[in-house]
């Protein structure tokens, strides 16, 4: 299987970005999905997760109310909508399925 991320970039504080992650080569709809991030010099941390059917989500306290995880099982894609971005959100963001990681996409929040 493979996970292919897109949508990263640079944005000013207060801005928004939407990350996408397409799953290939496995039964996407059967698996929970999650987003992690890793900032320079820090450990990789869980940002958000969603169940296989999309009915249950959970978030790190640092992003609650600002980020939204969702999925489209027909398109085999999971999304992370990021609003009200802060400089401390700067990191490489990774998509994850059980046993599988994406390549990562850089998000930079800076004025």
């Amino acid at each position: 299987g493979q996970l292919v991320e897109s949508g990263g970039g640079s944005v000013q504080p207060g801005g928004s970005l939407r990350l996408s992650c397409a799953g290939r080569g496995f039964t996407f709809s059967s698996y929970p999905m999650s987003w992690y991030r890793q900032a320079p010099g820090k450990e990789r941390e869980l940002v958000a997760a969603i169940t296989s059917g999309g009915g249950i989500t959970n978030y790190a306290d640092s992003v609650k109310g600002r980020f939204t995880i969702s999925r489209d099982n027909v398109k085999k894609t999971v999304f992370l909508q990021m609003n009200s971005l802060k400089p401390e959100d700067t990191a490489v963001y990774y998509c994850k399925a059980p046993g599988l990681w994406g390549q990562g996409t850089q998000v930079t929040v800076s004025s």
Side-chain angles (χ1 to χ4, degrees), residues 82-99:
M82 304 185 294
N83 299 329
S84 302
L85 282 160
K86 304 175 181 180
E88 51 263 45
D89 295 318
T90 295
V92 178
Y93 284 71
Y94 297 89
C95 175
K96 184 182 184 300

Side-chain angles (χ1 to χ4, degrees), residues 6-31:
S6 60
S10 295
V11 65
Q12 292 186 341
S16 298
L17 285 173
R18 189 193 197 204
L19 305 183
S20 299
C21 172
R24 301 172 181 169
F26 64 99
T27 308
F28 182 85
S29 60
S30 295
Y31 296 100

Side-chain angles (χ1 to χ4, degrees), residues 2-98:
Q2 186 181 18
L3 296 171
V4 179
E5 297 135 344
S6 60
S10 295
V11 65
Q12 292 186 341
S16 298
L17 285 173
R18 189 193 197 204
L19 305 183
S20 299
C21 172
R24 301 172 181 169
F26 64 99
T27 308
F28 182 85
S29 60
S30 295
Y31 296 100
M33 296 294 298
S34 53
W35 286 96
Y36 283 72
R37 68 185 180 187
Q38 187 166 19
K42 295 188 176 181
E43 294 187 354
R44 194 170 296 189
E45 63 173 355
L46 177 66
V47 175
I50 188 167
T51 52
S52 58
I56 300 173
T57 58
N58 64 73
Y59 299 91
D61 287 344
S62 58
V63 307
K64 280 180 182 176
R66 300 188 298 121
F67 290 12
T68 302
I69 188 171
S70 62
R71 67 190 295 162
D72 183 333
N73 284 342
V74 173
K75 295 183 178 179
K76 300 182 180 180
T77 302
V78 61
F79 305 98
L80 186 67
Q81 178 66 45
M82 304 185 294
N83 299 329
S84 302
L85 282 160
K86 304 175 181 180
E88 51 263 45
D89 295 318
T90 295
V92 178
Y93 284 71
Y94 297 89
C95 175
K96 184 182 184 300

